[in-house]
């Protein structure tokens, strides 16, 4: 069972998290990389319906 209190960042490897941070910085004018990096500090219960829909897409 998934611990719903853990942030999404805790499920990523160090390399994956650093890659997300680099993409958000490199493509800061694009909303998707910035959004993805932003949700890494949220736990599962903090994700909005919009976040969940975007994750599925």
């Amino acid at each position: 069972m998934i611990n719903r209190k853990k942030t999404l960042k805790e499920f990523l490897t160090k390399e994956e998290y650093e890659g997300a941070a680099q993409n958000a910085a490199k493509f800061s004018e694009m909303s998707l990389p910035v959004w993805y990096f932003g949700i890494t500090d949220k736990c599962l219960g903090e994700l909005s319906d919009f976040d969940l829909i975007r994750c599925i897409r």
Side-chain angles (χ1 to χ4, degrees):
M1 184 151 174
I2 295 175
N3 180 355
R4 295 178 184 267
K5 298 294 180 186
K6 289 175 85 173
T7 62
L8 297 176
K9 178 174 33 179
E10 296 176 78
F11 291 101
L12 299 174
T13 65
K14 183 179 178 182
E15 292 81 21
E16 289 171 331
Y17 181 76
E18 289 173 356
Q22 289 173 356
N23 280 339
K26 184 177 179 183
F27 301 108
S28 61
E29 70 282 351
M30 296 179 170
S31 62
L32 187 61
V34 174
W35 165 82
Y36 178 72
F37 184 67
I39 68 165
T40 59
D41 288 325
K42 294 181 180 181
C43 66
L44 190 58
E46 295 173 335
L47 294 175
S48 68
D49 291 341
F50 174 77
D51 291 333
L52 295 173
I53 291 168
R54 206 165 193 184
C55 285
I56 292 169
R57 287 185 113 197

